[in-house]
Every structure is written in C-alpha cells, then in structure tokens.
Amino acid sequence: MQVVFADWQNKAMLDIGKDMISKRHSKIGTKRGEAYANLSMRFLRALFNFASAQYEDGSGHAILRENPVMHLTQTRAWYRVDRRQTVIKPHQLASWYQAVLSLKQDKVTNQSALVADYLLFLLFTGLRRQEAATVKWEDIDLNDRFFTLTDTKNREPLTPPLTDFISDLLRSRKAATDSEYVFAGDGKAGYLIEPRRQVQKVTELSSVSFTLHDLRRTFITVAESIDISAYALKRLVNHKMTNDVTAGYIFNDVERLRKSMEQISAQLLRYFEINEEKKILKFPVHQNT
C-alpha cells in the first residue's frame, strides 16, 4: 500500500473503479515489473474481498457489491509470468560459498557478516526467506539441536533438526548479537528484511546470479539428487501432503529427519570443496551497536 498504492490510501474503496485498476496494473508492470504488478493486484484483490465480507449496509447487504480487481481476470489482463526454476548449480557452489564468506571481512558494518550467516542458513535449511528472517533465539534449542517455526506459509508448525554445520553457525551468531532475532535488522521490524546490497556483492564476486528463494530450490534439488525420501523432504521444507494417503501414516519426528538433514548438509559441504574440519571459518566478533 505504501509503495504502489500510496495515493490510494485515503481514497474511498467505492471510488476505485475497474478502469483505475487496469491503468494502475499496467503502470506498475511498466515501472516495477510484471510479476510485481500481479502481486500488487492480488494483494488489492484480497483487501477488497475482506472489505466486501466485513462491511454491510443497514439492510445486511455488502457495501462493496463487486471486486474491481476481478476486471483483470474478465479481460485477461493479468501478466503471464512463468514460475522461476533457477537454482545454484553444483559447480557454482564453491565460488558462491567463498563470496558469501567474503562478507564476513567487511570492516565497516557487522550487518554483512550477519547476512552471510543468513544466506548459509537459508541454503542449509531450505526455509523460505521470511521464515528464516523471523526466527528468534527462543525458537532454537542448541542443546538438543532443533528449532521450531509456528508462523509458516501453510500455517502448519515445523520442527526441523539442526545439523552440525548450522549448530556451529548459530553458536557463533549468538555470541555476536543481543537481539531477540537470530538475524536482526536495522528497521522497525527488528529482523532482516531484504539484504539486496550483500546479495549483489555475492553475485559480483562469484558471478553467480541468485535470489533468496533460489537457495530453497537449491536445497530441494540437492536433496533429490542424493535420493532423500520424498516424505522426509516434504516434511523438511514443510510442503503439504494432503493428497498422499500414505503420508498420513508416517510420523516424522526431529530425530527421524536428522539423518536426512545431515546427508544434505554433507553433500553441500562437498560441493563447497572444503574439508569437514574447516567448514566454519572463524572471524572477529563484532558486537551490535
């Protein structure tokens, strides 16, 4: 609302018509990209749907009789955006890893070192970026080596195990922060939002172009390449298995998933081309200011 609909925030919803929707959708697509335009309009559509269900007139009828965003569907105006299928390929992971570690050498700010750990955490857990960014220290058990997510995309809680690599990373991270969030940010939210500058730096140093969600796809791709059980993989990345009757009879607890998680971690370390005993490099600890 504050970015592409800033001038509409004080406008009555009844005054937003179909033609306005079409023009704004086209404008966003030109300036910010077609995928962003579709995403913006899906948000606005949900807002209108909520208002239509929530607010009634004196006769009990919805004040908003129609959703103007549906005009994009009726006129087939939605942009066709193919789903991304990009991953970091195995032969690219070594240079990518070295570029990520180079962020820890930043003498100007400790935020770059934090982003380096965040990127590795995403790759080694397969979490969605928001899920990882909002993890708090209270959600992590470093003794029994697992953590818990309650606010997930599909609203189902997730309790994945912590591998040796990630456990070591988190212990080092905990010594460098006093925030309630594992990956603290500088903004009002308190957690890391969008580390564009550091991602761009890694891309420049490694010549590997990637998005944060590519790290999740890479985790899944590596897991499939070493024949991790489909049930274990779906549980690790918190994909629903509602259409699979067999899955309903399989109980996946933390310890049963630990072996699969360690296998994925070991494969990633092999791609990094580093020795197991050198998997975590030590850098000076910068205290938050």
Side-chain angles (χ1 to χ4, degrees):
M1 283 301 297
Q2 296 176 353
V3 178
V4 295
F5 301 120
D7 57 327
W8 285 7
Q9 290 191 82
N10 295 320
K11 187 181 292 293
M13 297 180 78
L14 286 169
D15 294 337
I16 299 176
K18 298 176 181 178
D19 188 54
M20 294 171 64
I21 293 292
S22 295
K23 290 180 178 179
R24 184 57 58 94
H25 182 240
S26 179
K27 181 180 179 180
I28 300 171
T30 301
K31 287 190 172 183
R32 294 182 170 271
E34 296 179 351
Y36 195 90
N38 284 352
L39 179 64
S40 301
M41 285 300 167
R42 284 198 294 270
F43 163 76
L44 194 63
R45 180 178 62 190
L47 195 62
F48 269 93
N49 283 339
F50 173 83
S52 179
Q54 185 75 8
Y55 303 109
E56 301 176 344
D57 59 21
S59 301
H61 299 116
I63 295 176
L64 296 173
R65 300 300 176 88
E66 63 178 350
N67 190 329
V69 183
M70 292 304 298
H71 183 64
L72 297 177
T73 300
Q74 295 161 355
T75 59
R76 298 189 177 184
W78 293 99
Y79 292 114
R80 179 170 181 174
V81 180
D82 294 331
R83 184 174 180 178
R84 289 179 61 95
Q85 298 293 338
T86 52
V87 299
I88 300 177
K89 298 177 182 178
H91 71 272
Q92 297 176 314
L93 281 168
S95 60
W96 180 87
Y97 177 64
Q98 291 304 319
V100 170
L101 289 185
S102 72
L103 295 178
K104 292 178 177 284
Q105 306 283 10
D106 190 342
K107 305 299 182 181
V108 178
T109 173
N110 62 352
Q111 194 70 1
S112 293
L114 179 143
V115 172
D117 287 343
Y118 175 64
L119 295 177
L120 291 171
F121 188 78
L122 284 174
L123 178 64
F124 276 79
T125 61
L127 292 180
R128 299 175 178 89
R129 62 181 184 177
Q130 182 76 358
E131 293 171 345
T134 54
V135 170
K136 296 182 179 180
W137 289 112
E138 65 184 25
D139 302 324
I140 295 176
D141 188 328
L142 288 173
N143 292 323
D144 290 330
R145 299 195 309 150
F146 71 90
F147 64 103
T148 302
L149 297 177
T150 55
D151 186 13
T152 62
K153 183 179 179 180
N154 63 12
R155 299 292 183 261
E156 292 186 357
L158 177 65
T159 307
L162 293 172
T163 62
D164 292 340
F165 181 90
I166 293 299
S167 293
D168 291 345
L169 181 149
L170 290 175
R171 287 190 177 92
S172 296
R173 171 66 19 216
K174 193 169 187 179
T177 182
D178 56 4
S179 171
E180 65 176 321
Y181 290 101
V182 176
F183 303 105
D186 298 326
K188 293 181 179 179
Y191 54 83
L192 189 64
I193 299 297
E194 187 68 37
R196 289 180 182 147
R197 183 177 66 83
Q198 290 87 355
V199 168
Q200 182 61 33
K201 184 66 174 178
V202 172
T203 296
E204 292 173 357
L205 292 175
S206 65
S207 298
V208 178
S209 180
F210 72 100
T211 68
L212 297 181
H213 201 71
D214 287 344
L215 302 180
R216 177 176 170 85
R217 281 189 286 264
T218 300
F219 174 89
I220 294 172
T221 301
V222 169
E224 290 175 336
S225 73
I226 57 175
D227 296 326
I228 295 297
S229 161
Y231 297 117
L233 181 54
K234 283 180 178 291
R235 185 63 186 137
L236 285 172
V237 297
N238 211 20
H239 281 168
K240 286 188 175 182
M241 298 180 286
T242 53
N243 294 326
D244 193 324
V245 177
T246 308
Y249 294 93
I250 296 180
F251 178 75
N252 292 289
D253 59 13
V254 173
E255 293 308 318
R256 289 190 64 180
L257 293 173
R258 191 176 301 282
K259 180 180 178 181
S260 297
M261 201 67 151
E262 289 288 1
Q263 288 175 325
I264 299 169
S265 179
Q267 184 64 30
L268 286 168
L269 291 173
R270 282 192 284 270
Y271 287 141
F272 286 170
E273 300 176 2
I274 56 176
N275 295 328
E276 179 73 12
E277 63 272 15
K278 296 180 180 179
K279 61 190 175 185
I280 290 289
L281 299 184
K282 300 300 181 183
F283 292 88
V285 172
H286 302 280
Q287 293 295 334
N288 285 342
T289 57

